Amino acid sequence: MQLLITELVGVLGAMSLPGSTTTLAVVIGVYSVVMPALYAGALIGGTRLVQLVNELYATRTELAASAVGEERVRLSRDLHDLLGQSLSAISLKGDLALRLLAKDPAAAGAEIESLTEVAREALRDTRAIARDEHAVSLSTELDGAAALLGAAGVHTRLDVAELPALPVPVQSALAWAIREGTTNLLRHSQAHSCAISLSRHQGTVRLEIINDGVRGTAEHGSGLCGVAERARAVSGTVSATVRDGRFRFRVEVPEEAT
């Protein structure tokens, strides 16, 4: 800005006639009026710049804190959903091995070996979750749920319709729902039978898990909240109701959700 004023003075000086004092007075007047205004503008601009930098820093700090919070929520949710079923399976197989130990040592040994593999798989999955690399498979979760419930003495019926290739987010939401639904059944009921169905209804994929042996009313713990959060991420819905001693867990997700 100082350079601009200097050039302005030079131009006006060059335009003045030799010995003329009028132009010089004009130049001095312009200089005395413009310079304070320019300095004031620079001061205001500098102050605003500092304010903007401070606001940017505060926003960046807030975003970082929000990202940390979201990551903690993700880790907590994934660990709960993952380890809930794994620990239930370990407890179930451990109890079964103890019951078999006296009358069928070979079968007890097989259960202990299976228990060890479950523990190893849980450890691998936990490490993958920490790196945000864990993925669940819909077909694997269906087979795993049937096997685990069968081992627990729950008569399980799978009714899975032929479905087209579903987007990964849809498969993931439904797979986590199956895992959590199975875990809840083992933890919070004395079920003797369970029906798991997966079907299509006018562009929506519906998962239902219905079991007997309900104790009390439907509870919406952190596990079901995690399922609902995943479903909402793909525009889906979750409901859990108890009627006539049977617990009905339903998840509906748009077929083309991304």
Side-chain angles (χ1 to χ4, degrees):
M1 291 181 182
Q2 180 66 44
L3 179 60
L4 179 61
I5 294 300
T6 302
E7 291 179 352
L8 177 60
V9 172
V11 170
L12 290 175
M15 293 172 58
S16 65
L17 296 173
S20 175
T21 59
T22 302
T23 303
L24 181 59
V26 171
V27 171
I28 293 174
V30 170
Y31 190 87
S32 62
V33 171
V34 172
M35 282 305 297
L38 290 177
Y39 279 125
L43 181 60
I44 294 172
T47 302
R48 181 55 182 155
L49 179 60
V50 171
Q51 290 175 347
L52 289 174
V53 170
N54 289 336
E55 290 174 7
L56 179 61
Y57 180 79
T59 302
R60 182 178 179 181
T61 302
E62 184 178 339
L63 289 173
S66 176
V68 170
E70 290 176 359
E71 183 64 6
R72 285 176 178 170
V73 170
R74 182 192 70 80
L75 284 172
S76 175
R77 180 194 65 196
D78 289 357
L79 285 172
H80 173 277
D81 294 349
L82 172 70
L83 295 183
Q85 188 179 86
S86 297
L87 293 177
S88 295
I90 290 171
S91 176
L92 176 65
K93 290 179 176 295
D95 290 342
L96 182 58
L98 287 175
R99 293 199 299 269
L100 292 172
L101 193 58
K103 59 181 180 182
D104 193 345
E111 290 298 330
I112 293 173
E113 183 177 350
S114 175
L115 184 155
T116 303
E117 181 54 36
V118 171
R120 287 176 180 151
E121 184 67 24
L123 180 59
R124 288 193 292 268
D125 289 343
T126 302
R127 289 170 175 166
I129 284 177
R131 298 190 298 266
D132 196 16
E133 297 174 352
H134 183 72
V136 290
S137 164
L138 184 55
S139 60
T140 299
E141 292 301 326
L142 282 169
D143 293 341
L148 184 58
L149 293 174
V154 180
H155 176 69
T156 304
R157 185 180 79 253
L158 290 180
D159 182 11
V160 181
E162 288 292 332
L163 297 173
L166 298 172
V168 172
V170 174
Q171 289 200 46
S172 179
L174 294 172
W176 280 113
I178 292 168
R179 179 179 284 262
E180 180 59 28
T182 304
T183 302
N184 276 350
L185 188 157
L186 294 173
R187 282 182 176 176
H188 305 301
S189 76
Q190 296 175 330
H192 297 288
S193 65
C194 173
I196 301 176
S197 63
L198 194 63
S199 56
R200 297 174 64 193
H201 297 271
Q202 298 180 343
T204 298
V205 182
R206 176 185 296 171
L207 166 70
E208 278 193 330
I209 301 178
I210 304 173
N211 64 273
D212 61 2
V214 178
R215 297 178 292 190
T217 58
E219 296 182 1
H220 296 269
S222 59
L224 291 183
C225 289
V227 172
E229 182 181 338
R230 287 188 173 94
R232 283 195 299 269
V234 288
S235 304
T237 60
V238 174
S239 64
T241 58
V242 174
R243 184 177 181 181
D244 299 329
R246 302 180 73 81
F247 180 76
R248 181 186 297 270
F249 175 51
R250 174 182 291 180
V251 179
E252 292 184 326
V253 180
E255 189 176 323
E256 297 301 325
T258 58

